[in-house]
Amino acid sequence: MARRGRASLYIRLSKAADDTNVSLDGMLTDVRAVLQREGLDEVALHVDDGLSGGFRDRPEFLSWLDDARSGRCDVLATYYTDRLTREGLNVAASLLDVVEGKDPASGRPAHRPVRLLDAKGLDSRDGDAFRFRFVIQAEVGRAERERMRDRNRSRTRRLRRAGRWPGGTTPHGYKAVDNPDGPGKVLDIEPAEAAAIREAADAVLAGDNATLVARRLNHAGVKPRRAKEWTRVVLVRVLTGDAVLGRISVNGRPLRDEEGDILAPYPAVLTVAQVASLRAVLAPKEGTAQRGGRRPARLLSGLLSCHSCGSVLQVARRSPRSRSGAEVVYRCPSRGNGGGCERPVTVAALTIEGHVEARYLAAVGSLPMYRETVRVTGVEDLAAVDAEIRETLADMATNATADTFARLQRLQAQRAELAELEPERRTELVATGRSMAEHWAESMTDDRRALLADALEELVLLPGVRGRRGFDPDRLLWRWADEGDAAE
């Protein structure tokens, strides 16, 4: 009795596949009917769900081809060969190499040939007729993909010009809602995300490092739209992009009305003045590297000093006295660095940090928390000229005429004049609605340490009493920033 052929099945579901289109169950039913008619046994099933046929590195597609190369199957079966690829001849040739058992580099035999079948009647046993039909179907699939892309691009342009959201991932700070003035969707403010953007913008304009602000967003559990976590690059892209201004782009340029003014069909998260200032602050500075916003090692890093020599205490690990492991301490570094200190001090980090935190919150924890907000005015004209310059540079990339170059020179001269005008910056303290204790509980170590640095003028550690357990509050000389002398 002859051995039955072994078939490996492959199905690709497009993003639009559903019960009313082409479903997985429907395609499997048709392919398995072919296997039954041909007397073939199913040995493997590979499904790529929601992956474009325009790319050949689909994981299940590659595994399906490997079944043929490794000899796991004799037959490659699929629903319809034009769903195998949307790249046309490029991939059709590589598929034929697999079917014919050839090495794609040399054309020499590399493995046993296999049979290719689909549920629409294509069969590699049909010789030249199969090859002609297979190649034509591959090219038809490629052409259809190009038509679909053109239709989608045209649809997106029409919707954007109409002020409607065309779909896809919404910008950070926004959500898609039903259009109150007609069909389709529009963008509206997502309150929590917009508040996070505004706080981040205020922090950067107030002088905080962008990397620090990005870590702060990650600590707060705020998620970016298109990245796993916030980084400096992701944050700068959000804060300096046109989306936070409520603007939309068509062919990479902001949409304008008939008079040439930039349209903003959606509510803005930040003002034009804020974004213009952020672009200036966050622009790469020539000849300088971007700093990473180094994390402090501990809560009191750089704040504690030695009573005897005045050195800033450093974080270190003390040799363990038990099996519980090494203990983190603050200690005077003078002797270790070759200096002199009559009575160097050391204290357990967790112990003194707990004491400082408790004392600080006892004094200020019930007070309201304010954050610094920077109001910038007088840069709107500069922002408009910057937008004109970006568009002119884009024109020059495709149509570098004398008129375009002259326009760029005129705009650059105008920008130079506007840049000489100092923008007005006004700092305000805005209540957050939280207490200092609530803010402290939600803050990361960087920000807690910054609060202590602003509040305290001096923290001096005195020697401890040998044999005494626990932290003695009298060891710490504590002076608030608004006091003249040490409180203790």
Side-chain angles (χ1 to χ4, degrees), residues 287-322:
T288 60
Q290 297 296 336
R291 297 174 178 254
R294 183 179 178 184
R295 294 178 174 88
R298 303 284 305 193
L299 177 65
L300 302 180
S301 294
L303 301 182
L304 275 175
S305 60
C306 175
H307 78 105
S308 179
C309 66
S311 297
V312 175
L313 302 191
Q314 293 182 352
V315 177
R317 289 188 176 273
R318 185 163 55 187
S319 299
R321 297 179 180 177
S322 66

PDB file of all heavy atoms in Angstrom, residues 287-322:
ATOM      1  N   GLY A 287      28.031  70.596  19.376  1.00  0.00           N
ATOM      2  CA  GLY A 287      29.248  70.423  20.145  1.00  0.00           C
ATOM      3  C   GLY A 287      29.032  69.966  21.575  1.00  0.00           C
ATOM      4  O   GLY A 287      29.982  69.861  22.342  1.00  0.00           O
ATOM      5  N   THR A 288      27.784  69.695  21.963  1.00  0.00           N
ATOM      6  CA  THR A 288      27.515  69.225  23.320  1.00  0.00           C
ATOM      7  C   THR A 288      26.758  67.913  23.258  1.00  0.00           C
ATOM      8  O   THR A 288      25.870  67.735  22.433  1.00  0.00           O
ATOM      9  CB  THR A 288      26.692  70.245  24.123  1.00  0.00           C
ATOM     10  OG1 THR A 288      25.433  70.456  23.464  1.00  0.00           O
ATOM     11  CG2 THR A 288      27.432  71.567  24.218  1.00  0.00           C
ATOM     12  N   ALA A 289      27.097  66.995  24.146  1.00  0.00           N
ATOM     13  CA  ALA A 289      26.400  65.710  24.223  1.00  0.00           C
ATOM     14  C   ALA A 289      25.187  65.843  25.129  1.00  0.00           C
ATOM     15  O   ALA A 289      25.175  66.629  26.082  1.00  0.00           O
ATOM     16  CB  ALA A 289      27.340  64.631  24.768  1.00  0.00           C
ATOM     17  N   GLN A 290      24.155  65.072  24.817  1.00  0.00           N
ATOM     18  CA  GLN A 290      22.967  65.078  25.654  1.00  0.00           C
ATOM     19  C   GLN A 290      23.259  64.357  26.965  1.00  0.00           C
ATOM     20  O   GLN A 290      23.744  63.242  26.976  1.00  0.00           O
ATOM     21  CB  GLN A 290      21.801  64.388  24.926  1.00  0.00           C
ATOM     22  CG  GLN A 290      21.362  65.095  23.658  1.00  0.00           C
ATOM     23  CD  GLN A 290      20.797  66.475  23.923  1.00  0.00           C
ATOM     24  OE1 GLN A 290      20.322  66.761  25.020  1.00  0.00           O
ATOM     25  NE2 GLN A 290      20.844  67.340  22.922  1.00  0.00           N
ATOM     26  N   ARG A 291      22.971  65.019  28.056  1.00  0.00           N
ATOM     27  CA  ARG A 291      23.202  64.412  29.353  1.00  0.00           C
ATOM     28  C   ARG A 291      22.072  63.467  29.707  1.00  0.00           C
ATOM     29  O   ARG A 291      20.935  63.674  29.336  1.00  0.00           O
ATOM     30  CB  ARG A 291      23.349  65.482  30.439  1.00  0.00           C
ATOM     31  CG  ARG A 291      24.570  66.373  30.201  1.00  0.00           C
ATOM     32  CD  ARG A 291      24.606  67.514  31.191  1.00  0.00           C
ATOM     33  NE  ARG A 291      25.800  68.316  30.957  1.00  0.00           N
ATOM     34  CZ  ARG A 291      26.860  68.292  31.733  1.00  0.00           C
ATOM     35  NH1 ARG A 291      26.891  67.491  32.775  1.00  0.00           N
ATOM     36  NH2 ARG A 291      27.903  69.044  31.460  1.00  0.00           N
ATOM     37  N   GLY A 292      22.419  62.453  30.469  1.00  0.00           N
ATOM     38  CA  GLY A 292      21.440  61.409  30.756  1.00  0.00           C
ATOM     39  C   GLY A 292      20.603  61.620  31.975  1.00  0.00           C
ATOM     40  O   GLY A 292      19.717  60.825  32.251  1.00  0.00           O
ATOM     41  N   GLY A 293      20.851  62.696  32.755  1.00  0.00           N
ATOM     42  CA  GLY A 293      20.058  62.869  33.943  1.00  0.00           C
ATOM     43  C   GLY A 293      20.350  61.768  34.948  1.00  0.00           C
ATOM     44  O   GLY A 293      19.497  60.943  35.233  1.00  0.00           O
ATOM     45  N   ARG A 294      21.568  61.743  35.492  1.00  0.00           N
ATOM     46  CA  ARG A 294      22.020  60.645  36.337  1.00  0.00           C
ATOM     47  C   ARG A 294      21.138  60.460  37.564  1.00  0.00           C
ATOM     48  O   ARG A 294      20.780  61.422  38.240  1.00  0.00           O
ATOM     49  CB  ARG A 294      23.467  60.904  36.767  1.00  0.00           C
ATOM     50  CG  ARG A 294      24.069  59.798  37.601  1.00  0.00           C
ATOM     51  CD  ARG A 294      25.490  60.129  37.962  1.00  0.00           C
ATOM     52  NE  ARG A 294      26.071  59.110  38.803  1.00  0.00           N
ATOM     53  CZ  ARG A 294      27.283  59.179  39.330  1.00  0.00           C
ATOM     54  NH1 ARG A 294      28.038  60.228  39.074  1.00  0.00           N
ATOM     55  NH2 ARG A 294      27.733  58.214  40.095  1.00  0.00           N
ATOM     56  N   ARG A 295      20.811  59.237  37.869  1.00  0.00           N
ATOM     57  CA  ARG A 295      20.010  58.918  39.041  1.00  0.00           C
ATOM     58  C   ARG A 295      20.847  59.076  40.309  1.00  0.00           C
ATOM     59  O   ARG A 295      21.999  58.653  40.344  1.00  0.00           O
ATOM     60  CB  ARG A 295      19.493  57.483  38.986  1.00  0.00           C
ATOM     61  CG  ARG A 295      18.502  57.193  37.886  1.00  0.00           C
ATOM     62  CD  ARG A 295      18.121  55.714  37.951  1.00  0.00           C
ATOM     63  NE  ARG A 295      17.064  55.375  37.006  1.00  0.00           N
ATOM     64  CZ  ARG A 295      17.275  55.020  35.760  1.00  0.00           C
ATOM     65  NH1 ARG A 295      18.510  54.959  35.299  1.00  0.00           N
ATOM     66  NH2 ARG A 295      16.269  54.716  34.966  1.00  0.00           N
ATOM     67  N   PRO A 296      20.288  59.664  41.383  1.00  0.00           N
ATOM     68  CA  PRO A 296      21.013  59.665  42.651  1.00  0.00           C
ATOM     69  C   PRO A 296      21.043  58.251  43.217  1.00  0.00           C
ATOM     70  O   PRO A 296      20.095  57.488  43.060  1.00  0.00           O
ATOM     71  CB  PRO A 296      20.167  60.596  43.530  1.00  0.00           C
ATOM     72  CG  PRO A 296      18.788  60.520  42.955  1.00  0.00           C
ATOM     73  CD  PRO A 296      18.987  60.327  41.472  1.00  0.00           C
ATOM     74  N   ALA A 297      22.153  57.899  43.854  1.00  0.00           N
ATOM     75  CA  ALA A 297      22.281  56.542  44.375  1.00  0.00           C
ATOM     76  C   ALA A 297      21.269  56.275  45.476  1.00  0.00           C
ATOM     77  O   ALA A 297      20.661  55.200  45.539  1.00  0.00           O
ATOM     78  CB  ALA A 297      23.707  56.327  44.894  1.00  0.00           C
ATOM     79  N   ARG A 298      21.078  57.258  46.362  1.00  0.00           N
ATOM     80  CA  ARG A 298      20.160  57.087  47.496  1.00  0.00           C
ATOM     81  C   ARG A 298      19.446  58.404  47.762  1.00  0.00           C
ATOM     82  O   ARG A 298      19.773  59.444  47.193  1.00  0.00           O
ATOM     83  CB  ARG A 298      20.928  56.664  48.751  1.00  0.00           C
ATOM     84  CG  ARG A 298      21.762  55.404  48.658  1.00  0.00           C
ATOM     85  CD  ARG A 298      20.949  54.149  48.695  1.00  0.00           C
ATOM     86  NE  ARG A 298      20.080  54.057  49.857  1.00  0.00           N
ATOM     87  CZ  ARG A 298      19.472  52.935  50.223  1.00  0.00           C
ATOM     88  NH1 ARG A 298      19.661  51.811  49.539  1.00  0.00           N
ATOM     89  NH2 ARG A 298      18.657  52.906  51.258  1.00  0.00           N
ATOM     90  N   LEU A 299      18.494  58.352  48.685  1.00  0.00           N
ATOM     91  CA  LEU A 299      17.690  59.517  49.010  1.00  0.00           C
ATOM     92  C   LEU A 299      18.541  60.691  49.477  1.00  0.00           C
ATOM     93  O   LEU A 299      18.278  61.850  49.130  1.00  0.00           O
ATOM     94  CB  LEU A 299      16.669  59.150  50.093  1.00  0.00           C
ATOM     95  CG  LEU A 299      15.787  60.285  50.612  1.00  0.00           C
ATOM     96  CD1 LEU A 299      14.882  60.797  49.502  1.00  0.00           C
ATOM     97  CD2 LEU A 299      14.967  59.814  51.814  1.00  0.00           C
ATOM     98  N   LEU A 300      19.596  60.430  50.286  1.00  0.00           N
ATOM     99  CA  LEU A 300      20.395  61.501  50.868  1.00  0.00           C
ATOM    100  C   LEU A 300      21.726  61.695  50.159  1.00  0.00           C
ATOM    101  O   LEU A 300      22.634  62.335  50.703  1.00  0.00           O
ATOM    102  CB  LEU A 300      20.621  61.221  52.362  1.00  0.00           C
ATOM    103  CG  LEU A 300      19.348  61.076  53.203  1.00  0.00           C
ATOM    104  CD1 LEU A 300      19.696  60.799  54.652  1.00  0.00           C
ATOM    105  CD2 LEU A 300      18.467  62.316  53.095  1.00  0.00           C
ATOM    106  N   SER A 301      21.874  61.138  48.951  1.00  0.00           N
ATOM    107  CA  SER A 301      23.130  61.304  48.202  1.00  0.00           C
ATOM    108  C   SER A 301      23.427  62.786  47.990  1.00  0.00           C
ATOM    109  O   SER A 301      22.607  63.545  47.471  1.00  0.00           O
ATOM    110  CB  SER A 301      23.025  60.609  46.839  1.00  0.00           C
ATOM    111  OG  SER A 301      22.923  59.214  46.995  1.00  0.00           O
ATOM    112  N   GLY A 302      24.629  63.203  48.425  1.00  0.00           N
ATOM    113  CA  GLY A 302      25.046  64.581  48.246  1.00  0.00           C
ATOM    114  C   GLY A 302      24.504  65.550  49.267  1.00  0.00           C
ATOM    115  O   GLY A 302      24.833  66.746  49.230  1.00  0.00           O
ATOM    116  N   LEU A 303      23.666  65.095  50.199  1.00  0.00           N
ATOM    117  CA  LEU A 303      23.037  65.981  51.178  1.00  0.00           C
ATOM    118  C   LEU A 303      23.665  65.879  52.560  1.00  0.00           C
ATOM    119  O   LEU A 303      23.662  66.853  53.319  1.00  0.00           O
ATOM    120  CB  LEU A 303      21.536  65.682  51.277  1.00  0.00           C
ATOM    121  CG  LEU A 303      20.720  65.821  49.986  1.00  0.00           C
ATOM    122  CD1 LEU A 303      19.252  65.542  50.267  1.00  0.00           C
ATOM    123  CD2 LEU A 303      20.887  67.209  49.390  1.00  0.00           C
ATOM    124  N   LEU A 304      24.194  64.717  52.921  1.00  0.00           N
ATOM    125  CA  LEU A 304      24.780  64.498  54.242  1.00  0.00           C
ATOM    126  C   LEU A 304      26.262  64.860  54.235  1.00  0.00           C
ATOM    127  O   LEU A 304      26.986  64.509  53.293  1.00  0.00           O
ATOM    128  CB  LEU A 304      24.638  63.026  54.648  1.00  0.00           C
ATOM    129  CG  LEU A 304      23.341  62.578  55.317  1.00  0.00           C
ATOM    130  CD1 LEU A 304      23.377  61.064  55.507  1.00  0.00           C
ATOM    131  CD2 LEU A 304      23.123  63.282  56.636  1.00  0.00           C
ATOM    132  N   SER A 305      26.723  65.510  55.287  1.00  0.00           N
ATOM    133  CA  SER A 305      28.146  65.826  55.388  1.00  0.00           C
ATOM    134  C   SER A 305      28.690  65.414  56.748  1.00  0.00           C
ATOM    135  O   SER A 305      27.943  65.257  57.719  1.00  0.00           O
ATOM    136  CB  SER A 305      28.389  67.325  55.156  1.00  0.00           C
ATOM    137  OG  SER A 305      27.686  68.099  56.113  1.00  0.00           O
ATOM    138  N   CYS A 306      30.001  65.245  56.798  1.00  0.00           N
ATOM    139  CA  CYS A 306      30.687  64.797  58.014  1.00  0.00           C
ATOM    140  C   CYS A 306      30.940  65.992  58.942  1.00  0.00           C
ATOM    141  O   CYS A 306      31.413  67.047  58.495  1.00  0.00           O
ATOM    142  CB  CYS A 306      32.000  64.128  57.634  1.00  0.00           C
ATOM    143  SG  CYS A 306      33.035  63.643  59.030  1.00  0.00           S
ATOM    144  N   HIS A 307      30.677  65.835  60.233  1.00  0.00           N
ATOM    145  CA  HIS A 307      30.831  66.926  61.205  1.00  0.00           C
ATOM    146  C   HIS A 307      32.285  67.337  61.363  1.00  0.00           C
ATOM    147  O   HIS A 307      32.611  68.492  61.687  1.00  0.00           O
ATOM    148  CB  HIS A 307      30.299  66.471  62.571  1.00  0.00           C
ATOM    149  CG  HIS A 307      31.269  65.584  63.297  1.00  0.00           C
ATOM    150  ND1 HIS A 307      32.020  66.015  64.353  1.00  0.00           N
ATOM    151  CD2 HIS A 307      31.651  64.306  63.054  1.00  0.00           C
ATOM    152  CE1 HIS A 307      32.817  65.030  64.760  1.00  0.00           C
ATOM    153  NE2 HIS A 307      32.588  63.980  63.986  1.00  0.00           N
ATOM    154  N   SER A 308      33.207  66.374  61.143  1.00  0.00           N
ATOM    155  CA  SER A 308      34.613  66.615  61.463  1.00  0.00           C
ATOM    156  C   SER A 308      35.366  67.299  60.325  1.00  0.00           C
ATOM    157  O   SER A 308      36.057  68.294  60.541  1.00  0.00           O
ATOM    158  CB  SER A 308      35.300  65.294  61.816  1.00  0.00           C
ATOM    159  OG  SER A 308      36.667  65.496  62.114  1.00  0.00           O
ATOM    160  N   CYS A 309      35.234  66.765  59.112  1.00  0.00           N
ATOM    161  CA  CYS A 309      36.010  67.318  57.988  1.00  0.00           C
ATOM    162  C   CYS A 309      35.150  68.033  56.959  1.00  0.00           C
ATOM    163  O   CYS A 309      35.680  68.649  56.034  1.00  0.00           O
ATOM    164  CB  CYS A 309      36.813  66.210  57.320  1.00  0.00           C
ATOM    165  SG  CYS A 309      35.779  64.951  56.499  1.00  0.00           S
ATOM    166  N   GLY A 310      33.830  67.933  57.080  1.00  0.00           N
ATOM    167  CA  GLY A 310      32.938  68.611  56.152  1.00  0.00           C
ATOM    168  C   GLY A 310      32.737  67.907  54.830  1.00  0.00           C
ATOM    169  O   GLY A 310      32.018  68.414  53.948  1.00  0.00           O
ATOM    170  N   SER A 311      33.316  66.718  54.643  1.00  0.00           N
ATOM    171  CA  SER A 311      33.159  65.992  53.383  1.00  0.00           C
ATOM    172  C   SER A 311      31.728  65.489  53.231  1.00  0.00           C
ATOM    173  O   SER A 311      31.055  65.146  54.210  1.00  0.00           O
ATOM    174  CB  SER A 311      34.123  64.801  53.346  1.00  0.00           C
ATOM    175  OG  SER A 311      35.462  65.238  53.380  1.00  0.00           O
ATOM    176  N   VAL A 312      31.268  65.438  51.991  1.00  0.00           N
ATOM    177  CA  VAL A 312      29.963  64.856  51.700  1.00  0.00           C
ATOM    178  C   VAL A 312      30.057  63.343  51.858  1.00  0.00           C
ATOM    179  O   VAL A 312      30.982  62.710  51.325  1.00  0.00           O
ATOM    180  CB  VAL A 312      29.512  65.211  50.275  1.00  0.00           C
ATOM    181  CG1 VAL A 312      28.204  64.497  49.926  1.00  0.00           C
ATOM    182  CG2 VAL A 312      29.344  66.722  50.133  1.00  0.00           C
ATOM    183  N   LEU A 313      29.154  62.759  52.619  1.00  0.00           N
ATOM    184  CA  LEU A 313      29.183  61.318  52.847  1.00  0.00           C
ATOM    185  C   LEU A 313      28.858  60.573  51.562  1.00  0.00           C
ATOM    186  O   LEU A 313      28.025  61.017  50.759  1.00  0.00           O
ATOM    187  CB  LEU A 313      28.193  60.922  53.936  1.00  0.00           C
ATOM    188  CG  LEU A 313      28.364  61.574  55.312  1.00  0.00           C
ATOM    189  CD1 LEU A 313      27.477  60.866  56.344  1.00  0.00           C
ATOM    190  CD2 LEU A 313      29.813  61.563  55.764  1.00  0.00           C
ATOM    191  N   GLN A 314      29.497  59.433  51.375  1.00  0.00           N
ATOM    192  CA  GLN A 314      29.286  58.616  50.183  1.00  0.00           C
ATOM    193  C   GLN A 314      28.571  57.324  50.551  1.00  0.00           C
ATOM    194  O   GLN A 314      28.691  56.818  51.673  1.00  0.00           O
ATOM    195  CB  GLN A 314      30.631  58.290  49.519  1.00  0.00           C
ATOM    196  CG  GLN A 314      31.332  59.501  48.930  1.00  0.00           C
ATOM    197  CD  GLN A 314      32.622  59.135  48.232  1.00  0.00           C
ATOM    198  OE1 GLN A 314      33.081  57.993  48.298  1.00  0.00           O
ATOM    199  NE2 GLN A 314      33.213  60.098  47.547  1.00  0.00           N
ATOM    200  N   VAL A 315      27.836  56.804  49.575  1.00  0.00           N
ATOM    201  CA  VAL A 315      27.140  55.535  49.761  1.00  0.00           C
ATOM    202  C   VAL A 315      28.138  54.399  49.567  1.00  0.00           C
ATOM    203  O   VAL A 315      28.933  54.408  48.613  1.00  0.00           O
ATOM    204  CB  VAL A 315      25.974  55.390  48.770  1.00  0.00           C
ATOM    205  CG1 VAL A 315      25.301  54.026  48.915  1.00  0.00           C
ATOM    206  CG2 VAL A 315      24.964  56.506  48.986  1.00  0.00           C
ATOM    207  N   ALA A 316      28.132  53.435  50.484  1.00  0.00           N
ATOM    208  CA  ALA A 316      29.041  52.297  50.396  1.00  0.00           C
ATOM    209  C   ALA A 316      28.353  51.079  50.995  1.00  0.00           C
ATOM    210  O   ALA A 316      27.249  51.164  51.541  1.00  0.00           O
ATOM    211  CB  ALA A 316      30.343  52.599  51.137  1.00  0.00           C
ATOM    212  N   ARG A 317      29.022  49.947  50.874  1.00  0.00           N
ATOM    213  CA  ARG A 317      28.538  48.710  51.485  1.00  0.00           C
ATOM    214  C   ARG A 317      29.511  48.283  52.577  1.00  0.00           C
ATOM    215  O   ARG A 317      30.704  48.148  52.316  1.00  0.00           O
ATOM    216  CB  ARG A 317      28.372  47.604  50.438  1.00  0.00           C
ATOM    217  CG  ARG A 317      27.199  47.840  49.507  1.00  0.00           C
ATOM    218  CD  ARG A 317      26.945  46.639  48.600  1.00  0.00           C
ATOM    219  NE  ARG A 317      25.775  46.851  47.780  1.00  0.00           N
ATOM    220  CZ  ARG A 317      24.534  46.561  48.136  1.00  0.00           C
ATOM    221  NH1 ARG A 317      24.318  46.022  49.327  1.00  0.00           N
ATOM    222  NH2 ARG A 317      23.516  46.786  47.342  1.00  0.00           N
ATOM    223  N   ARG A 318      28.982  48.075  53.767  1.00  0.00           N
ATOM    224  CA  ARG A 318      29.802  47.653  54.881  1.00  0.00           C
ATOM    225  C   ARG A 318      29.808  46.137  54.952  1.00  0.00           C
ATOM    226  O   ARG A 318      28.787  45.481  54.707  1.00  0.00           O
ATOM    227  CB  ARG A 318      29.249  48.249  56.179  1.00  0.00           C
ATOM    228  CG  ARG A 318      30.097  47.961  57.407  1.00  0.00           C
ATOM    229  CD  ARG A 318      29.736  48.894  58.537  1.00  0.00           C
ATOM    230  NE  ARG A 318      28.318  48.855  58.862  1.00  0.00           N
ATOM    231  CZ  ARG A 318      27.735  49.697  59.733  1.00  0.00           C
ATOM    232  NH1 ARG A 318      28.470  50.645  60.313  1.00  0.00           N
ATOM    233  NH2 ARG A 318      26.452  49.617  59.999  1.00  0.00           N
ATOM    234  N   SER A 319      30.960  45.577  55.289  1.00  0.00           N
ATOM    235  CA  SER A 319      31.087  44.120  55.398  1.00  0.00           C
ATOM    236  C   SER A 319      30.031  43.583  56.342  1.00  0.00           C
ATOM    237  O   SER A 319      29.789  44.152  57.427  1.00  0.00           O
ATOM    238  CB  SER A 319      32.476  43.744  55.910  1.00  0.00           C
ATOM    239  OG  SER A 319      33.470  44.205  55.023  1.00  0.00           O
ATOM    240  N   PRO A 320      29.376  42.497  55.957  1.00  0.00           N
ATOM    241  CA  PRO A 320      28.282  41.971  56.776  1.00  0.00           C
ATOM    242  C   PRO A 320      28.774  41.408  58.107  1.00  0.00           C
ATOM    243  O   PRO A 320      29.827  40.806  58.189  1.00  0.00           O
ATOM    244  CB  PRO A 320      27.684  40.867  55.898  1.00  0.00           C
ATOM    245  CG  PRO A 320      28.811  40.442  55.017  1.00  0.00           C
ATOM    246  CD  PRO A 320      29.617  41.676  54.766  1.00  0.00           C
ATOM    247  N   ARG A 321      27.957  41.649  59.121  1.00  0.00           N
ATOM    248  CA  ARG A 321      28.256  41.065  60.426  1.00  0.00           C
ATOM    249  C   ARG A 321      27.398  39.834  60.680  1.00  0.00           C
ATOM    250  O   ARG A 321      27.510  39.189  61.706  1.00  0.00           O
ATOM    251  CB  ARG A 321      28.007  42.097  61.529  1.00  0.00           C
ATOM    252  CG  ARG A 321      28.918  43.324  61.430  1.00  0.00           C
ATOM    253  CD  ARG A 321      28.614  44.322  62.524  1.00  0.00           C
ATOM    254  NE  ARG A 321      29.488  45.496  62.433  1.00  0.00           N
ATOM    255  CZ  ARG A 321      29.388  46.560  63.246  1.00  0.00           C
ATOM    256  NH1 ARG A 321      28.460  46.569  64.201  1.00  0.00           N
ATOM    257  NH2 ARG A 321      30.207  47.578  63.095  1.00  0.00           N
ATOM    258  N   SER A 322      26.523  39.546  59.747  1.00  0.00           N
ATOM    259  CA  SER A 322      25.676  38.363  59.876  1.00  0.00           C
ATOM    260  C   SER A 322      25.469  37.782  58.493  1.00  0.00           C
ATOM    261  O   SER A 322      25.986  38.276  57.498  1.00  0.00           O
ATOM    262  CB  SER A 322      24.326  38.743  60.506  1.00  0.00           C
ATOM    263  OG  SER A 322      23.595  39.597  59.629  1.00  0.00           O
TER     264      SER A 322
END
